[in-house]
Amino acid sequence: MLYTPHFLTGAAILKIVPDPLLGLLLSFLSHFILDLTPHNDFDLRPGITLREFFRMEKRRRNIILLVMGIDYFFMVVSFLWILVTKSNYWLLVGGGVGILPDAFEQFIMLFGKKLPGWQDRLQWRVSAKYGFISYPIVSLIALYILFN
């Protein structure tokens, strides 16, 4: 699943749960629960390296990079919106914890490591036709919670 829904869900959980430690634990667990929802992750499977990714067919690689760039943009906008309007750093920490499993896996790829398969069994991958429906739904629900 993309970063923005994970980030917004983690932040929304910290808004709902009064105890920050419990909220952070739930934000972390929400990552795995969201991965169990139908989504598309471009068939990027464990074992791929950055070198292999950049050797992909150019059109496919560029589409993935475009979607990831849009996702990072919306996550940064969400981060800044929460920072400026909510003045609640726990929400930002919750969002960060919500993306932590994916961020860690992708960070170690920067050092030439293969994408680990720790979370692979938790992924409910579906075709792109249906897989991009869950992203706006999850994000809009989390935004609703954050707005109210």
Side-chain angles (χ1 to χ4, degrees):
M1 182 165 273
L2 297 174
Y3 278 100
T4 303
H6 282 305
F7 178 81
L8 289 171
T9 300
I13 288 170
L14 264 287
K15 176 147 191 228
I16 294 171
V17 177
D19 178 6
L21 293 178
L22 177 60
L24 291 176
L25 174 64
L26 293 173
S27 292
F28 184 75
L29 294 175
S30 77
H31 180 93
F32 304 106
I33 292 167
L34 287 179
D35 279 349
L36 290 168
T37 62
H39 65 279
N40 183 280
D41 58 5
F42 310 103
D43 285 330
L44 297 176
R45 302 288 182 168
I48 191 170
T49 63
L50 277 180
R51 183 172 295 197
E52 292 168 339
F53 173 78
F54 284 106
R55 283 194 216 144
M56 280 182 180
E57 187 262 321
K58 184 178 179 180
R59 183 174 186 276
R60 180 173 180 235
R61 182 189 66 232
N62 288 344
I63 289 171
I64 294 170
L65 289 173
L66 175 67
V67 172
M68 288 172 59
I70 292 168
D71 178 48
Y72 294 153
F73 171 78
F74 280 120
M75 188 185 71
V76 168
V77 167
S78 299
F79 177 92
L80 294 173
W81 170 71
I82 291 170
L83 179 67
V84 171
T85 64
K86 301 298 180 191
S87 300
N88 184 336
Y89 297 111
W90 282 114
L91 301 180
L92 298 174
V93 175
V97 169
I99 66 168
L100 195 59
D102 285 346
F104 179 74
E105 280 191 343
Q106 293 164 14
F107 177 75
I108 64 175
M109 289 179 68
L110 295 174
F111 299 100
K113 303 293 182 189
K114 295 179 179 187
L115 181 67
W118 305 322
Q119 304 178 64
D120 191 51
R121 285 186 229 112
L122 298 175
Q123 304 296 320
W124 184 356
R125 294 180 179 99
V126 296
S127 70
K129 181 178 178 180
Y130 300 106
F132 289 97
I133 295 171
S134 61
Y135 299 132
I137 292 171
V138 169
S139 297
L140 289 171
I141 291 169
L143 283 170
Y144 177 80
I145 293 167
L146 288 166
F147 269 109
N148 294 311

